Amino acid sequence: MAQETPNIKSLSVFKNGQSFVIKEIKARVTDSGYRLTNLPQALFGTYWFAGISNPVTQVSSRLEELTEIKERKANTFPELLHANKGRAITLVTIYNDIYKGVVEDFELPEEINSKLQLQQMQLTASYQGQYNFDRIFTADAPALLLKMEGKWISIPPSTIRSLSFEDKPNRTVAAHIAVQKPVVTVHFAKSGVQTFEVMYLQNGFAWTPVYQLLLTSETEATLNLQAELSNNVEDIANTDIEVVAGVPNFSEATKLATLLHFSGATHLSQADDQYSNVSQIMESRYARNEKNIMAETFTPQNLSAAESEDLYFYSLKNISLKKGERAHFPIFSRPVRIKHFYKSVLPPSTLNTYRAGAEETYTTDDEDTTTGEGTTKPNKVDHFVEVYNNTESPFSSGSMIVLQKNTQKPAGQDVLKFTPKGASTPVFITSSPDILILEKEKIISLKKQAKTNSNGYKYALATVRGTVTIHNSKSKPVNMQVQKNIWGTPVSATIAYEQFLNTENKHEENPNRTLNFEQEVAPGQKKSFQYTYQIYVRE
């Protein structure tokens, strides 16, 4: 029985290129069940069938020989003959042989070839490991078989000089190609008209969040989100699609569903071994490497996100998208709070644990004798916008362009990282040439033989003072954040700071720390602050 056209009840699209589909099929079922030949590329463990009013008792599959129709434009004499069955023609060969009459029957060479190639594939599979075949059947059709006026005519295709038609010929040829494909049969408790659902996860349908941040003031902006959909699976017509904020853990869906996989017996034996008790004991499948689990990232006209567990679903209504098409759809436009700040990561000190013979005259650079305020080498300053998520759903990680709302002039582009509701995230805009940061360090005291370690090495204890000078040439005040990485122990600073111990960089004498300073600087103002720390230096 011909298949009914399935109705897509639910289509959830994830950012990782996967989509979860639920289709509803209504068809007349016989005692032998209902056959499905147009099968999806369903992934392992996600391919399920369920009867609506009549329970499914069994789902089976097997390889069968099927015929598929391949249409294209007829450009050769054999294709024109095939496309014009039942029409009167006159065929003239290069030897001036003339055949005139109605095309009663014809076999297109590629149809013959497809059957031969399928037979060869099956024969080769039957004898695999015993014989090595190059090619059993020729790939070419040495002759055409054409039935005209009740007689079969066999001629080489290359000998046809011309074809003439009494009417305009058909230029579309439909070849019937023999293939071997899986066929799934769904069995029910009783026959008759049944409605059932099929669900599965598949690759090839993805969405990407793309943001636009319109700056309206120093503290406010409008955040626009649109979904970029890429459909590489099948035509979608008037379908509701849900783009999902978050990626669920489909850790086992890395291959085709067993019902669809017929590449060999090895696949099934491996699948069985994978879930055997022995395998479970040898390697716990629950002790997973965290980096292999996607930890998202995600958000959904203004659409509100429907929350389910740790995922957020944003519905797009009545979407039509053909296979191979891409499209943009607006998701939301919402006001958000922002904060501009500037950041400079100062270079690490050259003074370190292994610097022998440290002197009190140590500095990181030559001192500017004119001003005595810092070094002659300016440090890079980057402009950021802190975006606060004051909406009801998280922001998914995605590209974001920043524009001035009134002028539409671009300020920059970066990635808006995953931001839970109630949190904030910095977005890099550009480097600023209008802010100058100079820094110098100097040893202000040195205590000899302050420590001897377990290996007998002697260390002096150096107290280092750093001076940072910020010159704001902008016409507006700036919030300046300065980051400094040191080896040793901070002692004091002239402004407030935060410190973080870097556990990855461990050292017995001097722990590695990151110091974060924050300073407000008025337009045209020059401000300085100092910090001191102690470091053990080998003598």
Side-chain angles (χ1 to χ4, degrees):
M1 179 179 175
Q3 292 189 55
E4 302 290 338
T5 302
N7 173 45
I8 298 179
K9 291 185 61 178
S10 174
L11 176 57
S12 302
V13 182
F14 304 101
K15 288 175 60 180
N16 64 349
Q18 293 183 323
S19 58
F20 192 75
V21 185
I22 301 178
K23 292 182 177 180
E24 184 179 86
I25 300 176
K26 184 177 182 180
R28 183 172 297 278
V29 178
T30 65
D31 292 338
S32 57
Y34 184 73
R35 289 161 48 85
L36 293 165
T37 58
N38 187 19
L39 303 176
Q41 295 293 299
L43 297 178
F44 177 74
T46 69
Y47 200 25
W48 287 80
F49 295 82
I52 302 299
S53 58
N54 186 18
V56 173
T57 59
Q58 177 183 326
V59 180
S60 59
S61 66
R62 67 175 183 177
L63 286 178
E64 294 187 15
E65 290 187 16
L66 303 176
T67 299
E68 292 189 348
I69 299 177
K70 178 181 178 183
E71 289 189 352
R72 65 176 182 279
K73 187 176 181 180
N75 290 316
T76 66
F77 287 135
E79 290 173 351
L80 280 172
L81 287 170
H82 188 271
N84 290 276
K85 290 181 182 180
R87 297 195 179 199
I89 68 164
T90 300
L91 186 154
V92 181
T93 71
I94 60 175
Y95 305 110
N96 293 321
D97 296 326
I98 299 176
Y99 301 93
K100 188 174 183 179
V102 175
V103 180
E104 299 177 29
D105 201 359
F106 182 83
E107 286 193 76
L108 193 65
E110 67 181 29
E111 295 180 355
I112 302 173
N113 288 337
S114 71
K115 295 175 183 177
L116 296 178
Q117 290 169 6
L118 182 58
Q119 292 175 30
Q120 173 167 325
M121 180 188 70
Q122 294 169 338
L123 188 58
T124 304
S126 300
Y127 290 95
Q128 62 181 346
Q130 300 181 38
Y131 303 99
N132 292 321
F133 297 100
D134 291 328
R135 179 167 290 281
I136 303 173
F137 305 106
T138 176
D140 300 321
L144 295 180
L145 290 175
L146 179 65
K147 189 177 182 182
M148 297 176 64
E149 303 298 323
K151 295 181 180 180
W152 281 98
I153 303 168
S154 177
I155 58 174
S158 59
T159 63
I160 300 177
R161 174 182 290 174
S162 66
L163 291 175
S164 59
F165 301 85
E166 295 183 5
D167 301 316
K168 182 179 179 180
N170 181 21
R171 292 296 303 274
T172 301
V173 60
H176 297 265
I177 307 300
V179 296
Q180 193 173 48
K181 295 177 61 176
V183 175
V184 171
T185 303
V186 186
H187 302 270
F188 296 86
K190 59 183 179 180
S191 60
V193 176
Q194 308 292 344
T195 300
F196 64 97
E197 290 182 347
V198 54
M199 65 176 63
Y200 53 88
L201 182 75
Q202 63 182 356
N203 293 320
F205 204 144
W207 87 283
T208 302
V210 180
Y211 295 92
Q212 180 190 74
L213 186 70
L214 297 176
L215 304 178
T216 56
S217 71
E218 290 295 307
T219 58
E220 296 177 334
T222 300
L223 183 65
N224 299 320
L225 170 62
Q226 67 181 9
E228 291 188 346
L229 289 181
S230 300
N231 179 14
N232 296 314
V233 184
E234 62 180 319
D235 293 350
I236 303 298
N238 301 319
T239 301
D240 293 348
I241 297 178
E242 292 180 315
V243 292
V244 185
V247 177
N249 178 24
F250 290 111
S251 60
E252 304 305 302
T254 58
K255 55 192 174 186
L256 279 179
T258 306
L259 287 172
L260 308 175
H261 197 295
F262 285 87
S263 62
T266 305
H267 166 78
L268 297 181
S269 63
Q270 288 177 344
D272 293 339
D273 290 343
Q274 183 176 351
Y275 298 99
S276 68
N277 290 335
V278 175
S279 297
Q280 296 277 345
I281 295 172
M282 295 294 291
E283 177 183 0
S284 173
R285 297 192 56 79
Y286 301 103
R288 305 191 185 281
N289 189 333
E290 290 184 1
K291 68 180 181 181
N292 293 330
I293 299 177
M294 299 187 67
E296 250 253 45
T297 62
F298 198 87
T299 300
Q301 58 215 47
N302 281 331
L303 297 179
S304 297
E307 184 177 359
S308 175
E309 298 298 338
D310 297 318
L311 305 177
Y312 291 82
F313 295 79
Y314 296 83
S315 295
L316 303 174
K317 302 295 185 181
N318 299 321
I319 303 301
S320 295
L321 199 64
K322 291 186 177 297
K323 180 180 178 180
E325 281 190 335
R326 281 88 175 98
H328 285 181
F329 298 95
I331 300 295
F332 66 63
S333 178
R334 291 172 184 164
V336 293
R337 292 192 302 109
I338 61 170
K339 176 185 176 182
H340 291 267
F341 70 91
Y342 297 81
K343 184 175 182 178
S344 180
V345 179
L346 302 179
S349 304
T350 57
L351 184 67
N352 57 65
T353 309
Y354 304 103
R355 183 185 179 96
E359 300 177 358
E360 293 187 17
T361 56
Y362 157 81
T363 57
T364 54
D365 290 287
D366 294 334
E367 186 174 330
D368 188 335
T369 56
T370 304
T371 63
E373 292 172 344
T375 67
T376 57
K377 297 179 180 180
N379 295 283
K380 182 182 177 184
V381 177
D382 291 331
H383 180 192
F384 290 84
V385 171
E386 188 86 13
V387 181
Y388 294 86
N389 184 358
N390 46 272
T391 69
E392 72 279 4
S393 56
F395 296 154
S396 178
S397 178
S399 171
M400 185 173 77
I401 186 171
V402 182
L403 304 171
Q404 294 289 341
K405 184 173 183 178
N406 295 332
T407 63
Q408 300 294 307
K409 291 182 178 179
Q413 184 188 42
D414 196 22
V415 174
L416 177 68
K417 297 181 176 62
F418 172 70
T419 312
K421 51 186 177 182
S424 65
T425 187
V427 177
F428 172 64
I429 303 299
T430 186
S431 296
S432 175
D434 300 329
I435 302 175
L436 179 66
I437 291 190
L438 302 175
E439 180 210 17
K440 70 173 182 178
E441 282 190 345
K442 184 175 182 179
I443 294 178
I444 58 176
S445 68
L446 188 67
K447 181 181 179 181
K448 298 288 187 179
Q449 298 184 3
K451 183 178 182 178
T452 302
N453 69 4
S454 58
N455 295 322
Y457 294 112
K458 298 183 182 298
Y459 292 86
L461 180 62
T463 301
V464 181
R465 182 176 63 203
T467 303
V468 178
T469 302
I470 306 170
H471 186 188
N472 177 21
S473 300
K474 287 183 169 295
S475 58
K476 60 182 181 181
V478 297
N479 175 270
M480 191 70 224
Q481 297 182 10
V482 179
Q483 181 175 300
K484 178 70 177 182
N485 186 271
I486 65 168
W487 292 94
T489 303
V491 177
S492 63
T494 56
I495 63 173
Y497 69 95
E498 292 180 322
Q499 62 170 308
F500 300 93
L501 183 65
N502 301 323
T503 57
E504 294 183 358
N505 299 325
K506 295 182 179 179
H507 192 273
E508 182 180 353
E509 280 72 33
N510 297 302
N512 183 250
R513 288 182 171 88
T514 297
L515 308 181
N516 290 330
F517 303 91
E518 188 169 347
Q519 180 80 69
E520 296 287 339
V521 186
Q525 187 180 27
K526 188 182 293 183
K527 267 191 175 182
S528 297
F529 67 87
Q530 293 182 332
Y531 60 88
T532 58
Y533 66 94
Q534 291 182 328
I535 178 174
Y536 286 101
V537 184
R538 186 182 296 178
E539 294 185 355

